[in-house]
Amino acid sequence: MAAETGTPTTLTLKSNDDELFSVAESAAILSVTIRNMVEDGCAGGVIPLDNVDGKTLASVITYMNGISAIPADEEKKKSYRDKFLSDKDFETLADMVLAANYLNMSCLMDAVSAKIAQVMEKKSVGWVRRKFGIENDYTPEEEAAVKEEHKWTFEGVETDDDN
Amino acid sequence: MDRISELPNDVLRKILYFLSQKEATRTSVLSKQWRYIWCTRPNLDFTYTPPSREDGYYYRVRGRNRENKKKFLTIVDNTLQRYHDQDVCVEEFHLSTSLGNLDYESVPFLEKWSPVLKNTGTKKFHLSILSEHCPGRVELPPVVFGSESLQLLHVERFLLDEKSIERLVPLKHLKSLTLQRVSIKDEVILRKIISNCPSIEILDVHGILSFKRLKVVNDLRSLKKLKFYFDLLGRKSDEELCSIEIHHPSLETINISNGNILLNNGAHFFSLKDLKLAGVESSLCHLSSCEFPSLENLEFFYCDGLKGIRVFIDAPNMVYFEYSGNFVPSISIATFSKEWESCICISCTPSNEVPLFFVQLKEMLELLSQSKIYLDVDRLPYSNNYIIPENNIHINGRDGDKYVVVENLNILFLSYSFPSSLNGFLSICRPRYVGEFPYYDNEGDSWAMEVTERLWKILTEEKEAREDNKNLDQFKNNELWWFRDLEEVKLEVCHSNRDEWHATTLSELPNCDRSEFDRTRFALKWRET
């Protein structure tokens, strides 16, 4: 469809699994990576985003549209971000944080990182290992030495397990 | 490898940024890959809390305090050293600690860290430093105001003197300066500090400031919030308050307690949203010449500076006005706001002259009649005759005036003169509600019940009696003339959790479940005049 005069410019983004997405330029330039491409005039055709899959890109675009529709009101933006991330599982958050990192979107990057950090808050080492499936490759002696080095971080810790 | 450990280090650093220092450091135990990520995150955040007085007398905890603090300082020092050795920039450094008198251990560390932070390019140094002794007993060490990287500084309970600022440098990153319960003898000290903070946004000073005048330097272009609380401890009653000169158009909040303010005539406060003045003694007449295009909240708390003057406030965007004091001021507010509130809380002194009080109060209510008015009265001078003749109330010859509608009238006292004081208020305004009386309190409910019963008697029984017997002298003399406009009276009780009001009667009231209902009020319906 031909763009009428005055209608906002639309960009076409392509995910690494060849899905195409249309998004208003004003929303897409929340990504510094995309903004640089637009400013350099490389955004004429389709913008390939080689590090982002279609599912994640769809989610990022929902966020771009949602947050750019909110006027300059930090509180409202924050509550939008909280709501946007509230139902995401860790796998999705990991995809999002990588996409935000690649697209250079600091506000999304901060929000997702904070959300992941929240999962680790006030949790024991053992709980975090299990939650994220982190394999403990220390020998017992090595682990004891690291613990001893940072002994103060285990003082007065109220966690749900002692490990 | 698991999903989280696969994330690039940049991303992991960002995640760790949002954890406390303890939690971030603890991730080193997760696995070999996590061993050193914690000490590359861009921020460090250390807090030491000294034992409080509840933990025992100071001398009993002194030894433990010294030992704990030494351990704390060593951890901070080792961590900073590690960053320095690895050449990792500490972008943000938050340190919250305490100092004892002649603290030979802490001060050298501060002396050591300050240049390290400067050299590694730290832009956000937040320092919160608390004296372990009574306010004013410990001098603030000069290193504090010599730390160039400071972005936020909170100083509590220190004495600030010439020595404290002998190494003062331009603090070009400093955005927020809080001086809590400090003592400063000379204005020059505070002025020098402020004039070295060109980017400051928040200035919050509270303490014993024994000087008479303070000029907040001109070129603070970013100053948004200004709060001064002058502690009047040890002040002689006739001593003049400190005067503070304010004129920064960037200000959004001004909050002055127990000081006088000097404003330029005709000053424009373009951004000011909040203005709170408490205990201001010098005349506030210059407020009338200022413009407050953004002002939303205006509060006066016991300001003698409003006595004997008329104040006109030009504030097109008013949301909330509050006045508390022991006299009735004359304040009018010019605004375009359609919905705004006024809360007036008057606590009279015995010197108030009763008829004049009601005439002044009526004038004040008329000036605020565009707002939703809440009127609280705590104490009135004793008099058993508050009867205001109707022709005295129509002052300035404005006959046929509509009475000012007051959303709620709350009378917080009970005395012999209660019926006649109520009479005074109902002669000058038309409250939609009278109350709210706490229905139940720990000391039993006698007070609330007594007020409710008395009001019930006055508002309903007496009204009926008067209407039945119109020959009663007072009624004939028009002394309780407001009765004729009172069409209906309903007693209501409030559900404490739901903030809902239900109609009730005096005889039903004792049957209400007191754990559910906690306040009563009277809803008054007035004849349209």
Side-chain angles (χ1 to χ4, degrees), chain B residues 152 236 281 297 309 321 492 497:
Chain B
L152 180 146
K236 295 182 196 83
E281 290 179 352
N297 297 309
I309 57 164
F321 169 69
E492 297 182 342
N497 299 326

Side-chain angles (χ1 to χ4, degrees), chain B residues 498-509:
Chain B
R498 293 204 292 271
D499 216 28
E500 279 169 12
W501 291 89
H502 303 277
T504 184
T505 60
L506 194 64
S507 50
E508 278 173 29
L509 203 54

Side-chain angles (χ1 to χ4, degrees), chain A residues 91 95 98 101 110 113 117 122-123 129 132-135 137-138 142 149-150 152-155 157, chain B residues 2-4 7-8 11 14-15 18-19 22-23 25-26 28-32 35 38 75 82:
Chain A
E91 285 299 315
D95 289 334
L98 285 170
N101 195 36
D110 282 1
S113 303
K122 299 194 170 69
K123 297 296 191 303
R129 277 189 194 131
F132 294 103
I134 300 170
E135 189 197 335
D137 53 2
Y138 285 122
E142 284 169 336
E149 186 186 345
H150 304 300
W152 73 278
T153 68
F154 294 91
E155 283 166 8
V157 181
Chain B
D2 66 277
R3 194 71 211 279
I4 195 166
L7 295 172
V11 174
K14 193 79 200 182
I15 294 169
F18 292 98
L19 290 175
K22 219 174 207 182
E23 286 163 335
T25 311
R26 213 158 52 211
S28 58
V29 187
L30 287 171
S31 74
K32 284 183 181 167
R35 179 84 171 85
W38 71 273
I75 290 166
R82 191 191 278 262

Side-chain angles (χ1 to χ4, degrees), chain A:
Chain A
M1 200 183 288
E4 289 164 40
T5 40
T7 45
T9 319
T10 308
L11 303 178
T12 305
L13 310 180
K14 192 172 91 172
S15 66
N16 62 4
D17 45 2
D18 294 331
E19 260 191 87
L20 294 177
F21 296 88
S22 287
V23 56
E25 186 188 293
S26 57
I29 57 171
L30 276 172
S31 151
V32 177
T33 309
I34 295 176
R35 192 171 70 206
N36 289 343
M37 289 193 201
V38 171
E39 281 169 5
D40 297 344
C42 331
V46 172
I47 302 177
L49 299 170
D50 298 339
N51 285 7
V52 190
D53 63 39
K55 182 174 159 263
T56 308
L57 189 53
S59 195
V60 170
I61 289 170
T62 306
Y63 171 80
M64 282 173 164
N65 288 331
I67 204 88
S68 59
I70 299 167
D73 181 333
E74 254 325 298
E75 296 238 326
K76 283 188 186 140
K77 288 190 186 221
K78 193 188 171 297
S79 69
Y80 174 81
R81 277 194 283 265
D82 289 349
K83 194 159 172 279
F84 176 74
L85 295 176
S86 64
D87 58 347
K88 305 273 187 285
D89 60 15
F90 173 67
E91 285 299 315
T92 313
L93 291 175
D95 289 334
M96 299 267 292
V97 80
L98 285 170
N101 195 36
Y102 170 68
L103 293 168
N104 200 349
M105 290 173 70
S106 58
C107 63
L108 183 60
M109 179 81 189
D110 282 1
V112 181
S113 303
K115 179 89 186 171
I116 297 173
Q118 217 176 46
V119 179
M120 306 167 80
E121 255 172 37
K122 299 194 170 69
K123 297 296 191 303
S124 68
V125 171
W127 190 95
V128 174
R129 277 189 194 131
R130 282 196 301 280
K131 171 81 188 171
F132 294 103
I134 300 170
E135 189 197 335
N136 177 13
D137 53 2
Y138 285 122
T139 63
E141 295 74 29
E142 284 169 336
E143 184 175 341
V146 181
K147 273 190 172 173
E148 177 62 26
E149 186 186 345
H150 304 300
K151 203 166 59 186
W152 73 278
T153 68
F154 294 91
E155 283 166 8
V157 181
E158 289 166 38
T159 51
D160 44 359
D161 104 19
D162 58 340
N163 191 5

Side-chain angles (χ1 to χ4, degrees), chain B residues 391-438:
Chain B
N391 53 3
N392 268 23
I393 276 305
H394 292 294
I395 35 171
N396 306 331
R398 286 184 298 185
D399 260 351
D401 268 353
K402 284 203 164 182
Y403 291 96
V404 179
V405 176
V406 167
E407 185 62 22
N408 193 82
L409 166 67
N410 202 0
I411 304 175
L412 306 165
F413 60 93
L414 185 61
S415 68
Y416 292 116
S417 59
F418 188 74
S420 49
S421 58
L422 178 75
N423 191 38
F425 289 108
L426 296 185
S427 306
I428 61 160
C429 65
R430 294 287 181 260
R432 295 183 59 218
Y433 298 100
V434 177
E436 310 166 1
F437 305 108

Side-chain angles (χ1 to χ4, degrees), chain B residues 228 230 232 235 241-244 246 254-263 275-287 299-307 309 323-324 327:
Chain B
F228 265 87
F230 295 90
L232 298 181
R235 172 196 183 236
L241 295 176
C242 176
S243 295
I244 169 162
I246 307 170
I254 299 177
N255 188 343
I256 307 288
S257 296
N258 306 328
N260 289 331
I261 59 165
L262 299 171
L263 306 173
L275 177 60
K276 289 183 193 161
L277 300 175
V280 175
E281 290 179 352
S282 68
S283 174
L284 287 165
C285 56
H286 38 276
L287 286 176
E299 295 175 30
F300 295 107
F301 188 82
Y302 289 81
C303 289
D304 282 355
L306 290 169
K307 246 179 200 159
I309 57 164
Y323 170 83
S324 301
F327 61 93

